[in-house]
Amino acid sequence: MSLFGESPPQPTATQSSLFDDGETPLPRDSQPSLFAAENTDNAGSPWGLPTPKKSSRTDLVKSILPPNQVPEEYIDTYDALLTSDRLGTGVSLTGVRKVLEASKLSSEVQSKLLNIILPEGIENTESVRDGVSQGQVHVLLALIGLAQEDEDVTLDSVDERRRNLPVPSLPSLFPEQVASDEQQQSAPSTPLASKTLGEGAATGSPSLRPRNRRDDSLVDPESDPWSSPALHKGHNHAVQDNAPTKPNGSSIERSKVSEQGPDGSHIGNPGPSTPRDAVPVSSSRRNPIHRTESGGWNSFEDTTINAFSNPGEGSRNDSGETDRPAVTRRVAGSGVEEVVTVTLLPEKEGMFMFQHRNYQVSSVRRGAKVVRRFSDFVWLLNCLYKRYPFRQLPLLPPKRVAVNGSHLLSDTSFLERRRRGLTRFANALVRHPVLSQEQLVVMFLTVPTELSVWRKQATISVQEEFTGKVLPPTLEDSLPSTLSDTFDTVRAGVRRSLELYISLCTLVDRLARRNEGMAADYLRLSLALQSLSEASESTYGIDTSDVPPLNAGLQATAKHLTTSQSLLEDEARTWDDGVVEDLKRQRDALFSVRDMFDRRDRLAKNNIPALEKRIQGNETKLANLRSRPEGTVKPGELEKVEEAIIQDKQTIVQQHARGVFIKECIRDELHIFQSSQHHVSRLHQEWSHERVKYAELQTDNWRSLSEEVESMPTGE
């Protein structure tokens, strides 16, 4: 008894309610499990507030089974899933569904496994959008193996079996491999379900040996004319026989690099300096997103403009993720844009804390494939700042991002975003009519050796482009008198548009994540309906005559939900590689114009008024000196004053000419930027076409379902 009456009785462990999620969790102190504490969010807070967590449940699932602690079959399965069902830097939900279906487990168990590796909630949408990571796939395979051995399917069980992980039996996942293995093995082998990591250790199985990383980097590293050992340190390349060598950038003939026909193809034989057949371009993802001349991002055929691509291939980084190369596209128009592909190489280079990542930069049109590091991109941009300060210089992604005081330098998602930013940077350079012909840019894209080695050997000029240039007599008069007002108008519009495009990129990116989250929920709903069909016979045990058509309808709904999930996933992928990247391209262009105007404010100043004032003073001084009697003027003083006046007048002429050139340059840059509105038009046209296509596919899917469920019993 208390002042306010008796307290209601506390529910016991045997009580359940309509909204119970499951068994009542034990108190935190009585739970020895590594993972069970996640169910008590408020147990440690005296104010009933959620206790801050160092890492979420998803992070724990990703890190519990690193690649160096799992059987080789786990890694092989993950590699195969990346080849067939890739999303972001991981495996798509379609690949996860295939693994679950191949396990032959009940729908209820499949749903439980899915909820373990992908906990429900909006906070997990980001992980779904970036794909299911290698660690999550490892946990899924371990859970399937435990379920097939009739053991508890929990993260605690996986942690206890860390040194003796079961290998699941998934014969229907890769039927071709199973058939070939059966043909090669004459003696009966141990079933996959009974093989464990511990048995492999006892018999010296190769699954315990360090796994060599696959690498799709340079085709012929021995063609390095500088013989630089650090360039391919740690790389495992296959050397082609009789591969043509590539000369140093200083000896490349400019005509061979830039001589192209009106359709973008090379004119004549490119010669030994550009071995086009020895430069395969990295592949894109499954169902690659590309633009055809008729428009549209995604058609379900692999018809990119790259004739040398190898679909499904990709290099793996040290975290086990496969690096996704940039998407090859065409644009509508009379010609084909040059496309530069930037791929993150898997190995790090350097020692201990001074390790860095390398990127493979490929250009089919230039016939080159080179390795660059992030600092090389920074060096190139700094040189362009000095030489072309009044042009649209592209935006570089940050080297690192700090979140809550932690620098995301090795985060897979951040590395992918930075790679995409470097791809936009490189393609913005080659699209620019002036910057694409700059010798520094050409050398950056074609010199096959390390850039630091080439910089020591080559003579590099970073003088401003107007230095020593003579002002044509008619140029100043040809510029409109309202040009300054036009600059102010465009500058204000660019600032406003930039703010809006930043918001647009965020919103569309959020919509793509929501599609991924909806696809995950559709998969959960499909598994739940399949489990429901398994329980129908016992649920309606009095009269089971209507159970078969009822189950047929439930299974049909589950099947069409799975189809809708695949469509949502493909649409989200299309958004990620299509409209999101196109919006970011336009956003970066606006950034470049805004920064160009800011640099003009800082660097376009002159001191002509001060020079004119000094000239007037020197002319007065010169007149006084000449009016003096002979012999009273020091020798050489007249000549010194006259020379100062001449130099100041020449400086005024040079600064005036520079100001005219700056106005002309910015005007030309705005004309170049003007063409970006056509890119915006194509962006919206293609996005609308994609929306219509997926809406029609979804409509056909649900219409087919409505016809199949008509036979379900209604009691009429």
Side-chain angles (χ1 to χ4, degrees):
M1 177 69 68
S2 67
L3 181 62
F4 300 101
E6 295 182 357
S7 302
Q10 297 295 329
T12 62
T14 60
Q15 290 177 331
S16 63
S17 67
L18 181 61
F19 302 100
D20 267 348
D21 292 332
E23 298 180 0
T24 304
L26 296 174
R28 169 173 291 192
D29 296 339
S30 64
Q31 290 181 344
S33 166
L34 176 64
F35 306 100
E38 296 181 21
N39 296 327
T40 56
D41 290 339
N42 303 333
S45 176
W47 305 102
L49 299 176
T51 304
K53 298 179 181 180
K54 294 183 179 180
S55 60
S56 65
R57 184 184 181 90
T58 305
D59 295 333
L60 289 173
V61 174
K62 290 180 179 180
S63 59
I64 185 176
L65 292 180
N68 59 348
Q69 296 183 8
V70 298
E72 188 171 354
E73 289 83 357
Y74 284 32
I75 300 179
D76 290 338
T77 302
Y78 178 74
D79 288 344
L81 290 173
L82 280 178
T83 302
S84 59
D85 299 283
R86 182 176 183 167
L87 176 65
T89 55
V91 176
S92 66
L93 290 173
T94 302
V96 173
R97 175 170 54 81
K98 291 180 180 179
V99 174
L100 291 173
E101 292 175 350
S103 66
K104 304 300 182 182
L105 299 173
S106 66
S107 300
E108 185 178 358
V109 175
Q110 293 182 30
S111 180
K112 183 178 181 180
L113 299 185
L114 179 65
N115 288 329
I116 290 177
I117 66 167
L118 290 177
E120 298 185 46
I122 300 177
E123 66 275 5
N124 299 301
T125 304
E126 181 69 24
S127 62
V128 174
R129 179 229 181 171
D130 291 332
V132 180
S133 68
Q134 184 175 17
Q136 290 171 294
V137 174
H138 291 169
V139 172
L140 176 62
L141 296 175
L143 291 172
I144 292 175
L146 291 173
Q148 291 176 344
E149 295 179 357
D150 295 329
E151 296 189 16
D152 292 336
V153 284
T154 61
L155 292 179
D156 292 320
S157 300
V158 174
D159 188 49
E160 293 172 359
R161 291 284 300 271
R162 184 191 296 267
R163 298 184 179 276
N164 189 26
L165 291 172
V167 178
S169 176
L170 305 171
S172 62
L173 186 60
F174 309 110
E176 299 87 356
Q177 182 65 29
V178 173
S180 62
D181 292 342
E182 291 177 352
Q183 293 177 359
Q184 292 176 2
Q185 296 177 354
S186 56
S189 59
T190 304
L192 284 177
S194 63
K195 291 172 61 180
T196 61
L197 185 59
E199 293 173 358
T203 59
S205 172
S207 63
L208 292 177
R209 294 194 293 267
R211 181 177 177 84
N212 295 329
R213 299 291 185 185
R214 293 183 175 89
D215 185 26
D216 297 323
S217 54
L218 292 179
V219 175
D220 184 18
E222 299 301 323
S223 62
D224 179 12
W226 295 100
S227 300
S228 52
L231 175 60
H232 307 285
K233 182 180 179 180
H235 294 189
N236 184 17
H237 303 301
V239 181
Q240 293 183 349
D241 297 333
N242 301 325
T245 59
K246 299 180 182 179
N248 181 30
S250 58
S251 63
I252 292 180
E253 296 183 15
R254 188 71 171 271
S255 60
K256 290 185 178 180
V257 174
S258 60
E259 186 177 8
Q260 297 149 358
D263 59 346
S265 60
H266 285 269
I267 299 176
N269 186 7
S273 61
T274 56
R276 298 183 59 183
D277 55 346
V279 189
V281 175
S282 302
S283 63
S284 59
R285 299 161 55 180
R286 181 179 65 90
N287 295 336
I289 313 302
H290 63 276
R291 285 189 182 144
T292 60
E293 294 182 356
S294 59
W297 280 311
N298 189 16
S299 61
F300 290 90
E301 307 102 21
D302 187 10
T303 55
T304 62
I305 63 171
N306 172 21
F308 310 99
S309 61
N310 299 317
E313 293 183 0
S315 54
R316 296 179 54 213
N317 55 34
D318 21 355
S319 64
E321 310 289 353
T322 298
D323 303 314
R324 178 179 56 200
V327 178
T328 305
R329 296 181 179 176
R330 286 180 185 262
V331 296
S334 58
V336 180
E337 281 187 351
E338 178 181 1
V339 178
V340 177
T341 304
V342 180
T343 308
L344 179 65
L345 295 181
E347 302 94 351
K348 287 184 179 180
E349 288 190 359
M351 298 290 292
F352 300 105
M353 297 181 63
F354 301 99
Q355 290 184 334
H356 64 271
R357 294 184 178 274
N358 287 333
Y359 296 88
Q360 183 176 277
V361 184
S362 307
S363 174
V364 176
R365 176 175 293 185
R366 298 176 189 267
K369 181 181 290 189
V370 297
V371 174
R372 299 288 180 255
R373 54 185 295 186
F374 184 81
S375 59
D376 295 334
F377 287 88
V378 175
W379 171 83
L380 176 63
L381 183 59
N382 289 334
C383 292
L384 295 177
Y385 274 143
K386 297 176 182 178
R387 182 154 176 77
Y388 300 101
F390 306 106
R391 295 196 180 274
Q392 300 178 66
L393 298 179
L395 186 69
L396 262 184
K399 181 177 181 179
R400 62 180 67 185
V401 175
V403 177
N404 296 330
S406 300
H407 291 285
L408 300 181
L409 188 59
S410 300
D411 180 72
T412 305
S413 178
F414 168 71
L415 291 175
E416 170 62 17
R417 287 179 175 87
R418 188 171 73 176
R419 185 202 63 78
R420 290 193 177 197
L422 294 176
T423 302
R424 293 194 299 271
F425 171 85
N427 282 282
L429 287 178
V430 299
R431 281 194 303 265
H432 196 282
V434 177
L435 300 179
S436 61
Q437 303 302 318
E438 165 60 35
Q439 193 70 12
L440 286 174
V441 176
V442 174
M443 296 300 105
F444 181 85
L445 296 174
T446 56
V447 170
T449 187
E450 284 188 358
L451 201 63
S452 58
V453 177
W454 175 80
R455 286 160 55 184
K456 295 177 182 179
Q457 303 290 334
T459 302
I460 303 172
S461 174
V462 291
Q463 284 187 340
E464 190 177 283
E465 59 176 321
F466 308 132
T467 302
K469 192 174 180 180
V470 180
L471 179 66
T474 59
L475 177 58
E476 186 174 5
D477 295 335
S478 65
L479 298 177
S481 58
T482 59
L483 196 57
S484 298
D485 296 335
T486 303
F487 289 167
D488 295 338
T489 302
V490 173
R491 187 175 190 179
V494 165
R495 286 179 174 175
R496 176 58 179 157
S497 297
L498 179 57
E499 295 175 357
L500 295 174
Y501 266 95
I502 293 175
S503 299
L504 285 174
C505 291
T506 303
L507 289 173
V508 176
D509 196 54
R510 190 183 305 164
L511 288 174
R513 290 201 303 269
R514 286 177 180 171
N515 268 359
E516 288 293 344
M518 189 180 299
D521 287 340
Y522 273 24
L523 180 57
R524 293 187 179 99
L525 183 56
S526 174
L527 292 174
L529 288 176
Q530 293 177 21
S531 301
L532 188 61
S533 66
E534 296 172 358
S536 296
E537 186 172 357
S538 59
T539 302
Y540 304 102
I542 296 179
D543 183 5
T544 60
S545 59
D546 289 337
V547 170
L550 178 65
N551 284 342
L554 293 176
Q555 292 171 1
T557 304
K559 180 185 68 174
H560 287 278
L561 279 170
T562 301
T563 303
S564 182
Q565 170 255 319
S566 299
L567 290 175
L568 285 171
E569 197 172 27
D570 285 336
E571 185 177 13
R573 182 185 300 113
T574 303
W575 284 35
D576 194 31
D577 286 336
V579 63
V580 174
E581 280 302 303
D582 283 335
L583 287 173
K584 289 182 178 180
R585 168 181 166 179
Q586 185 66 15
R587 179 202 63 187
D588 292 353
L590 292 167
F591 260 114
S592 300
V593 176
R594 188 200 66 176
D595 292 348
M596 178 184 66
F597 280 115
D598 292 343
R599 288 193 300 271
R600 184 196 64 164
D601 293 342
R602 298 194 311 267
L603 304 176
K605 298 177 180 179
N606 60 67
N607 59 342
I608 291 179
L611 291 174
E612 290 177 343
K613 185 176 181 180
R614 190 167 68 182
I615 289 174
Q616 291 179 359
N618 286 335
E619 288 179 346
T620 302
K621 181 179 179 180
L622 181 61
N624 292 334
L625 291 175
R626 288 177 177 175
S627 63
R628 291 183 183 181
E630 295 183 4
T632 59
V633 180
K634 295 181 181 180
E637 188 172 359
L638 285 175
E639 292 78 4
K640 184 178 179 180
V641 176
E642 290 176 350
E643 184 178 356
I645 293 173
I646 293 174
Q647 289 180 354
D648 288 342
K649 289 183 177 180
Q650 290 177 349
T651 303
I652 289 176
V653 172
Q654 293 173 359
Q655 291 188 5
H656 177 74
R658 181 174 180 267
V660 175
F661 286 135
I662 290 174
K663 288 183 178 180
E664 181 199 23
C665 181
I666 294 181
R667 182 200 63 180
D668 294 342
E669 289 299 303
L670 293 183
H671 280 294
I672 297 173
F673 172 74
Q674 194 77 6
S675 62
S676 66
Q677 61 184 324
H678 305 146
H679 170 257
V680 175
S681 300
R682 290 192 296 269
L683 181 160
H684 288 274
Q685 291 170 359
E686 295 165 359
W687 189 26
S688 64
H689 295 162
E690 291 301 318
R691 296 286 287 166
V692 169
K693 182 183 72 173
Y694 281 102
E696 291 176 347
L697 291 173
Q698 291 281 13
T699 302
D700 294 340
N701 178 53
W702 297 123
R703 183 179 292 112
S704 176
L705 172 63
S706 65
E707 296 173 355
E708 294 184 32
V709 297
E710 287 295 328
S711 60
M712 294 183 70
T714 59
E716 297 178 358

